[in-house]
Amino acid sequence: MSSPADVIGFSEVPLVPDPDEARSWLEDELAKPAYAEAQPTWFDQMAKAISDFISSILNPQIGPGGGMVVAAIIGVLIVAIIVAAVIVWGVPRARATSRLTADDLLFGEEETRTAAELRRAARQAAAASDWDEAVILRFRALARGLSERGAVRLGPGATVHAFAAQAAAAFPGEVAELNIAADLFDAVRYLRQPGTADAFERITGTDERLERTRPAALPELTAVTA
C-alpha cells in the first residue's frame, strides 16, 4: 500500500534538506536567467552611490565635523576631475605670445620672418603701391638684418630710436640716415601718416648700404629694451 508521500511524488525528496543540499538548491535557483536580469547594473550602482552621496551632503543632521568631511570629499572630487581633464585633454596651452623669444619679437610685436623674407615682402608691397606696408616692412628688414649679423641686439621692448642709436655705434657713417629711417617708420606705424615711395626708397637705400658695410666694431652688446 502506497504512503501519502509516494502519491504526491515526495518519496525521494527530503522534507528538511541538509545545509549543503540547501546551498546547492539556492545556487541553482539564483543561476536562472530571471534572477540575473533582475540584478542592478554597474550604472545603477554608480547612480545610487552618487544619489546617496548628494543626499548625505544635503542632510541637515550633519554635524560640524561631518561638514568638514563633506568639504574634504568635495575637494578631492574637484581635484580628481581636474586630473582626469588633464589626462584626457592635456595641459591647457599658454598664450602664444608667452612662447615667443626675443628673436620672435621686433619693436614689441610678433615678427618671426628673416631679413630676407621681410625684404621680399616689402618689395611685394611696393609693387602693389601699398607704401604704408612697404615702409614698415623695409625698416623691419633693416633692423632684423643687423640683428642677424650681430651688429645689434633687439630686446622685446626695443624702440626704433633706441635701435637706431645702437646701430649708429656700429655704423657711425650712417647716424643721420638711421635716424631718418627711424623717423619715417615712426610716422607711418605710430603717427598714422601715409607712407610714400620716397620714404620706401630712402629706407631701402640705407638698408642696402648697411648690407655692404662692415661694422666699425662689435663691442659687448646688451639687448636694446628702450
Side-chain angles (χ1 to χ4, degrees):
M1 182 177 179
S2 299
S3 65
D6 293 334
V7 173
I8 60 177
F10 289 165
S11 59
E12 298 179 359
V13 180
L15 295 178
V16 181
D18 58 42
D20 292 337
E21 195 167 17
R23 183 170 55 253
S24 177
W25 290 358
L26 180 60
E27 290 174 352
D28 291 343
E29 182 67 19
L30 293 178
K32 294 180 179 179
Y35 290 98
E37 292 173 359
Q39 291 293 324
T41 65
W42 68 268
F43 183 81
D44 297 330
Q45 294 171 348
M46 181 180 69
K48 184 178 185 304
I50 294 174
S51 176
D52 292 344
F53 174 71
I54 294 175
S55 297
S56 68
I57 293 176
L58 300 178
N59 188 348
Q61 298 179 352
I62 294 178
M68 294 180 62
V69 172
V70 169
I73 294 174
I74 292 175
V76 171
L77 288 175
I78 292 173
V79 172
I81 291 171
I82 294 173
V83 171
V86 170
I87 293 174
V88 174
W89 292 293
V91 178
R93 295 183 178 181
R95 291 181 60 186
T97 53
S98 67
R99 300 192 301 271
L100 297 174
T101 66
D103 292 337
D104 297 326
L105 296 168
L106 202 54
F107 306 126
E109 298 178 12
E110 181 180 353
E111 180 55 80
T112 59
R113 286 173 288 185
T114 64
E117 290 171 337
L118 287 167
R119 291 183 184 113
R120 183 164 56 250
R123 288 193 294 269
Q124 291 172 349
S129 297
D130 185 354
W131 299 116
D132 288 3
E133 190 74 359
V135 167
I136 291 170
L137 290 174
R138 191 68 200 210
F139 186 84
R140 289 181 180 277
L142 186 158
R144 179 53 54 82
L146 295 187
S147 177
E148 289 173 352
R149 293 169 63 186
V152 298
R153 289 183 183 173
L154 300 173
T159 66
V160 292
H161 288 286
F163 153 74
Q166 193 179 91
F171 302 93
E174 295 289 342
V175 174
E177 290 300 318
L178 283 165
N179 285 323
I180 289 172
D183 287 339
L184 292 171
F185 176 87
D186 258 349
V188 175
R189 180 65 184 83
Y190 299 112
L191 301 180
R192 303 300 181 183
Q193 295 181 11
T196 64
D198 289 342
F200 171 74
E201 292 299 336
R202 188 147 192 176
I203 296 174
T204 298
T206 302
D207 185 25
E208 290 176 345
R209 285 195 307 276
L210 292 176
E211 281 192 278
R212 299 189 299 265
T213 304
R214 182 183 180 85
L218 292 177
E220 291 292 329
L221 298 173
T222 56
V224 178
T225 57

